[in-house]
Amino acid sequence: MPTALAQKTDVNLGVAIPAATHAFTAGIVFWANQAKKDLEKAHPNLKVTVKTASGAPEQANQLQDLLTVNKINTLVIFPFESAALTRPVAQAKAKGVYVTVVDRGLTDTSAQDAYVSGDNTAFGRIPAEYLVKALNGKGNIVALRGIPTTIDNERMDAFKAVIDKNPDVKLLDARHGNWNRDDAFKVMQDYLTRFKQIDAVWAADDDMAVGVLKAIEQAKRKDIRIVFGGAGMKEMVKTLMEGSNPLIQANVSYSPKFMYDAIKLTAEARLKGEKLPASTIIPSVLITKENAKQYYFPDSPF
């Protein structure tokens, strides 16, 4: 009988996340390992295994390992891609694993028990509202999207919904920069070649904004007035605080620390034999020079 009770409270938790291919995912990896350290210390009957993947196929394979080798009973996954990971996650859930999905959602929500994310609708809406106001309701905008995922769609839909209400603001093009500096640099180079007048850029991630700024600088273009990134990378927040780049005037919060929160919430709920709410959304807010100090975390990799 005591053995059965002990097994009931033991939580063997697998964490599957993208590798640190850019600053935001470096933050995800940092906070996941911090959660493992803090939670295993606080709960002797909790084991946390963290696996990082450089692509969707590798992450799907890691899920198999977590199930068969590590024998997890709980999974917290930040899917590399939405569509490619939906079936592997559904298979884990079908085997009785409790599943929390973080950030990049699945294409079928029945494959998960809980979802934890930043506010992706606000992440798209806030930059659009800011740019429309900053351009006085008139101008040309280009956009750089992330990796094809449910959250990228949410952000883009919210951004477009605002732009569509302002007929004098033209969205010239929106292409995937994959949340990557080099990819964003190439996309922006293409935009600069094709469009002779660009008033503002929405690069839906600060890493992409870095690539965009580099392309603008190399092309020596003076028409662009604003580059709006996103997620509050520490270098961008510092730039805002110092006012050192006139193109960087605002940002929107989306901290990778929600990875820590998702693991902690899931582990503690499972240790008590409880479930999380179906959805937990962490607010995204406008960051300007006035409030930037609250969003500056110099010790984080992001």
Side-chain angles (χ1 to χ4, degrees):
M1 193 65 186
T3 313
L5 281 170
Q7 284 173 341
K8 238 180 188 178
T9 53
D10 279 352
V11 174
N12 186 355
L13 189 150
V15 177
I17 52 179
T21 52
H22 61 289
F24 186 80
T25 50
I28 292 291
V29 173
F30 171 84
W31 286 113
N33 284 308
Q34 192 64 42
K36 171 182 166 67
K37 185 175 142 190
D38 292 352
L39 291 165
E40 285 186 341
K41 188 178 175 185
H43 306 285
N45 51 345
L46 169 70
K47 179 173 169 51
V48 179
T49 305
V50 178
K51 294 208 178 259
T52 62
S54 56
E58 186 184 4
Q59 193 173 50
N61 289 338
Q62 287 176 349
L63 281 188
Q64 283 303 312
D65 285 349
L66 285 168
L67 286 166
T68 56
V69 180
N70 302 97
K71 305 205 180 315
I72 60 163
N73 54 24
T74 307
L75 173 68
V76 178
I77 180 166
F78 186 121
F80 204 96
E81 289 174 14
S82 299
L85 270 304
T86 297
R87 193 171 173 195
V89 173
Q91 287 169 341
K93 188 171 186 285
K95 288 176 180 168
V97 174
Y98 183 89
V99 177
T100 298
V101 172
V102 184
D103 191 62
R104 301 177 194 173
L106 302 172
T107 52
D108 177 7
T109 54
S110 70
Q112 69 200 29
D113 292 286
Y115 178 66
V116 178
S117 176
D119 188 342
N120 287 290
T121 300
F123 190 96
R125 175 181 50 79
I126 288 168
E129 289 172 347
Y130 185 91
L131 292 175
V132 167
K133 193 175 176 186
L135 297 175
N136 295 315
K138 188 172 185 177
N140 293 336
I141 297 175
V142 292
L144 289 89
R145 306 179 60 167
I147 289 170
T149 48
T150 56
I151 66 160
D152 180 68
N153 294 338
E154 284 171 35
R155 293 172 177 184
M156 195 67 221
D157 291 348
F159 185 84
K160 272 188 98 277
V162 174
I163 301 301
D164 290 347
K165 288 178 192 162
N166 294 272
D168 292 331
V169 177
K170 301 278 186 284
L171 180 59
L172 301 175
D173 202 354
R175 285 173 49 204
H176 292 281
N178 304 318
W179 295 312
N180 180 282
R181 292 180 191 199
D182 295 336
D183 291 356
F185 176 75
K186 288 171 194 161
V187 171
M188 193 63 204
Q189 277 187 319
D190 176 63
Y191 286 163
L192 292 166
T193 304
R194 287 163 53 211
F195 304 118
K196 297 307 167 198
Q197 178 64 39
I198 300 170
D199 297 290
V201 182
W202 179 46
D205 172 85
D206 284 331
D207 261 311
M208 291 198 297
V210 172
V212 165
L213 290 167
K214 190 179 166 193
I216 293 168
E217 188 186 346
Q218 279 194 12
K220 297 184 166 57
R221 286 279 287 265
K222 303 294 179 195
D223 49 324
I224 297 149
R225 290 184 264 163
I226 307 168
V227 173
F228 197 119
M233 185 167 73
K234 64 182 177 184
E235 290 85 354
M236 285 294 184
V237 176
K238 193 163 189 262
T239 300
L240 265 181
M241 285 160 65
E242 294 169 349
S244 55
N245 187 334
L247 292 177
I248 304 297
Q249 300 171 19
N251 206 293
V252 60
S253 67
Y254 199 89
S255 171
K257 187 181 177 288
F258 61 55
M259 193 70 225
Y260 183 101
D261 299 333
I263 297 168
K264 186 173 190 285
L265 288 167
T266 303
E268 291 179 349
R270 299 315 292 154
L271 284 163
K272 293 177 193 163
E274 295 171 1
K275 292 186 172 187
L276 292 182
S279 184
T280 303
I281 303 298
I282 293 141
S284 290
V285 300
L286 181 69
I287 306 173
T288 60
K289 188 172 183 175
E290 288 66 41
N291 67 348
K293 200 174 177 185
Q294 297 169 41
Y295 299 93
Y296 183 54
F297 305 110
D299 296 335
S300 167
F302 185 78

